[in-house]
Amino acid sequence: MTPRADVFFLPAAHDEQRLCLFHAPAGAARSKILYLHPFAEEMNKSRRMAALTCRALAEAGHAVLQIDLRGCGDSSADFGDASWADWQADVRLGLAALDARIPDGLPVWLWSLRAGCLLIAGDWGRPVNHLFWQPMPSGKLALQQFLRLKLAADMAGGVGKGLMEQMKTDLAAGRSIEVAGYTLNAAMASGLDTAQLVPPARPARLEWLELSTRESASLLPASEPVIKRWQDNGWQVRPQVVQGPAFWATSEIEVAPVLIDRTLEALS
């Protein structure tokens, strides 16, 4: 039986800490994986699914590290204090923590969900494989979807006219706004808005998994040009559509068991 996760606080810059959960592999490690959670409330909706998958991966021999990015979960700072650059720094922090626990020489994976997939840009100094769950093709789209949460709430109250433009004006002027209980600052909004799903310079493997409640569904239209760009840059890309609910956005906590199975197969 796989042991329980080791919960610890990882020291970060400015005397801060990041909450981490390390899932040790059952037996000899086959790979090491860093999980990057999605944006804002989607993180909380996805915790159950992430936890189940971490356990399954550990039982299959993978070493998995979960990290709460700055301002998220039980890590230091408030959500409204964090920037996109802070989160990119946390990715490097998490990879270094994995290296400290598991020797080099094993395949390295960044496993990310939704807007978390946009954090992968950069040169990691080595080939790093990627596992995408329902990736967002651009940060601009992710930001628009997030802002629409406030737009929908205010329109229900009859005060939504001109709100989208006002929110963008406030952010462009460096002012923070409140969206669905979260404080969104200008630095975070700007970083997310300009983020792109660009392939890193060192080609490796990309497992691209999308969810649909329909049988025999196709990839989202916006996914195809992004996948081609990665393939043109030398990446081995294997996209597939898996049947299951959009658990990051459902009103009740849901899971997608088939997605866990396909993830294990993808990393085998």
Side-chain angles (χ1 to χ4, degrees):
M1 180 178 293
T2 304
R4 297 182 63 178
D6 178 16
V7 182
F8 64 98
F9 282 99
L10 184 64
H14 310 299
D15 295 323
E16 292 187 350
Q17 296 178 320
R18 304 289 181 262
L19 178 71
C20 294
L21 284 79
F22 178 71
H23 303 261
R30 301 170 58 186
S31 76
K32 43 190 177 183
I33 305 170
L34 176 64
Y35 171 65
L36 305 178
H37 60 71
F39 195 77
E41 189 61 21
E42 290 187 359
M43 172 190 178
N44 295 323
K45 292 285 187 178
S46 305
R47 278 199 180 277
R48 174 65 175 162
M49 187 64 186
L52 291 174
T53 307
C54 285
R55 293 170 193 161
L57 286 168
E59 289 173 1
H62 304 279
V64 189
L65 181 70
Q66 295 175 263
I67 182 171
D68 284 358
L69 303 172
R70 186 172 193 251
C72 301
D74 290 316
S75 288
S76 298
D78 294 325
F79 186 89
D81 297 325
S83 69
W84 192 253
D86 291 335
W87 287 4
Q88 290 176 315
D90 285 348
V91 178
R92 295 187 181 279
L93 195 66
L95 285 172
L98 257 180
D99 288 340
R101 295 223 171 200
I102 301 294
D104 289 337
L106 292 174
V108 180
W109 289 84
L110 284 178
W111 158 35
S112 46
L113 171 60
R114 298 276 289 163
C117 300
L118 294 163
L119 287 166
I120 55 86
D123 183 6
W124 309 113
R126 56 185 164 175
V128 173
N129 303 301
H130 295 285
L131 168 65
F132 288 167
W133 277 6
Q134 203 73 22
M136 303 291 288
S138 73
K140 186 177 292 294
L141 176 60
L143 179 61
Q144 288 177 345
Q145 289 187 1
F146 185 63
L147 295 180
R148 285 184 190 132
L149 295 176
K150 182 174 179 62
L151 185 62
D154 285 18
M155 286 184 68
V159 293
K161 186 176 181 179
L163 179 60
M164 182 64 78
E165 291 73 17
Q166 183 60 53
M167 287 189 292
K168 291 182 178 179
T169 298
D170 288 341
L171 290 170
R175 295 187 290 269
S176 297
I177 62 174
E178 296 291 329
V179 180
Y182 290 84
T183 299
L184 178 66
N185 66 50
M188 176 63 77
S190 175
L192 177 60
D193 186 53
T194 57
Q196 296 287 331
L197 208 57
V198 178
R202 300 171 189 262
R205 289 175 54 194
L206 168 58
E207 298 289 340
W208 182 297
L209 302 179
E210 293 183 6
L211 277 169
S212 175
T213 55
R214 297 182 293 108
E215 294 185 8
S216 304
S218 301
L219 291 168
L220 295 171
S223 301
E224 295 176 0
V226 179
I227 290 172
K228 185 177 185 305
R229 182 177 184 181
W230 282 64
Q231 291 172 329
D232 290 345
N233 279 270
W235 283 75
Q236 301 175 32
V237 185
R238 185 169 63 169
Q240 56 179 309
V241 181
V242 177
Q243 191 170 17
F247 54 86
W248 58 87
T250 52
S251 56
E252 301 294 331
I253 301 300
E254 294 195 41
V255 297
V258 179
L259 180 58
I260 300 176
D261 293 340
R262 294 294 181 272
T263 295
L264 293 173
E265 292 172 4
L267 269 63
S268 64

